């Protein structure tokens, strides 16, 4: 076109040259985007693998345990430590309602000890997060206390898809607190209620 020397040929040649440059620039930009996407995907996979390794290490060695519920508040996942604590395999626990998993044996407790599980039920049904909620449970005829922390999970459109959290056994701490409270209300020598306990009981009665 340039050799023909006519104006229309020169204009067409110029337009083709500009079009070629635009195509090359667009191709280079798309190539850069593809490379960045691949690098991001590789980095994301690497981070997920790291997170999985850390979670596995946590589940094996930490004193806490992990748990996860679906949108119907039924167990979908539990860490190895929790399975050991319950003495049951995941296959038997999977699909159980939250009451049978997070508050075992609660029906055998007295009213005061059951109040914490009622609070847990309210938070789960209202899909609200909670932290360090002390729950009384009964296992093998023994009353124990768990500290539970949970957070609701939502999908990309904001729909509720379940709860995820962790727990730990705080029985030793709770028993120590109860002993301290008992020491403040009962005589250490005779085991009889002291003046403070009497005043509190009298105030409640009045």
């Amino acid at each position: 076109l340039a050799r023909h020397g006519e104006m229309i040929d020169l204009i067409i040649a110029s337009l083709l040259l500009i079009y070629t440059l635009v195509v090359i620039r667009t191709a280079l930009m798309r190539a850069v985007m593809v490379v960045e996407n691949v690098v991001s995907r590789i980095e994301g996979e690497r981070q997920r693998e790291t997170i999985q390794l850390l979670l596995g290490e946590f589940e094996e060695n930490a004193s806490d345990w992990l748990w996860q519920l679906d949108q119907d508040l039924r167990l979908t996942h539990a860490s190895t430590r929790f399975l050991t604590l319950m003495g049951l395999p995941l296959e038997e626990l999977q699909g159980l309602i939250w009451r049978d998993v997070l508050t075992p044996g609660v029906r055998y407790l007295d009213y005061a000890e059951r109040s914490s599980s009622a609070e847990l039920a309210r938070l789960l049904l209202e899909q609200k997060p909670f932290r360090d909620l002390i729950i009384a449970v009964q296992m093998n005829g023994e009353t124990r206390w768990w500290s539970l922390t949970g957070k609701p999970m939502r999908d990309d459109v904001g729909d509720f898809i379940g709860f995820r959290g962790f727990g730990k056994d705080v029985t030793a701490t709770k028993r120590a607190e109860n002993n301290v409270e008992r020491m403040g209300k009962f005589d250490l020598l005779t085991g009889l209620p002291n003046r403070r306990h009497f005043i509190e009981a009298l105030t409640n009665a009045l």
Side-chain angles (χ1 to χ4, degrees):
L1 289 171
R3 282 199 300 269
H4 286 172
E6 297 185 11
M7 182 60 66
I8 186 65
D9 295 329
L10 292 176
I11 292 175
I12 294 175
S14 300
L15 292 175
L16 287 174
L17 179 61
I18 293 173
Y19 176 73
T20 302
L21 294 175
V22 170
V23 170
I24 293 174
R25 183 174 181 275
T26 303
L28 290 175
M29 290 178 62
R30 293 186 68 86
V32 171
M33 290 175 59
V34 170
V35 172
E36 289 178 349
N37 288 336
V38 172
V39 171
S40 298
R41 192 156 49 243
I42 293 174
E43 186 64 26
E45 290 292 335
R46 187 176 302 159
Q47 290 179 357
R48 278 192 290 272
E49 291 177 0
T50 302
I51 291 173
Q52 289 297 329
L53 288 174
L54 291 174
L55 284 176
E57 186 72 15
F58 175 83
E59 291 186 1
E60 290 295 328
N61 301 315
S63 60
D64 300 355
W65 63 80
L66 303 175
W67 54 269
Q68 183 171 316
L69 308 176
D70 61 12
Q71 64 270 19
D72 297 322
L73 301 181
R74 295 184 178 274
L75 184 73
T76 58
H77 173 75
S79 62
T80 304
R81 185 171 180 83
F82 182 70
L83 299 177
T84 303
L85 184 68
M86 297 292 288
L88 294 171
L90 181 60
E91 292 76 16
E92 293 188 25
L93 291 175
Q94 232 169 5
L96 293 180
I97 196 69
W98 67 271
R99 291 185 184 88
D100 298 329
V101 179
L102 299 181
T103 58
V106 67
R107 61 183 178 275
Y108 301 114
L109 302 174
D110 58 30
Y111 176 78
E113 293 173 332
R114 290 200 305 268
S115 60
S116 57
S117 62
E119 175 66 9
L120 175 62
R122 183 186 67 81
L123 293 170
L124 290 175
L125 293 175
E126 294 179 0
Q127 302 173 10
K128 292 183 178 180
F130 51 91
R131 184 177 183 84
D132 296 330
L133 182 63
I134 305 300
I135 302 293
V137 302
Q138 189 168 110
M139 304 182 65
N140 301 321
E142 178 187 14
T143 301
R144 304 190 67 84
W145 287 269
W146 291 351
S147 175
L148 300 179
T149 297
K151 181 180 181 181
M153 299 183 297
R154 303 190 181 277
D155 58 17
D156 296 336
V157 296
D159 292 334
F160 174 72
I161 58 175
F163 263 89
R164 178 181 295 153
F166 62 91
K168 58 183 176 181
D169 193 310
V170 293
T171 303
T173 303
K174 188 66 176 178
R175 286 175 177 171
E177 292 175 356
N178 291 342
N179 287 336
V180 171
E181 184 177 357
R182 179 176 176 81
M183 290 170 61
K185 293 183 177 181
F186 292 85
D187 182 75
L188 297 180
L189 182 61
T190 63
L192 297 174
N194 59 15
R195 181 191 301 271
R196 175 188 169 191
H197 184 72
F198 172 74
I199 293 176
E200 288 183 1
L202 182 60
T203 302
N204 292 333
L206 291 174

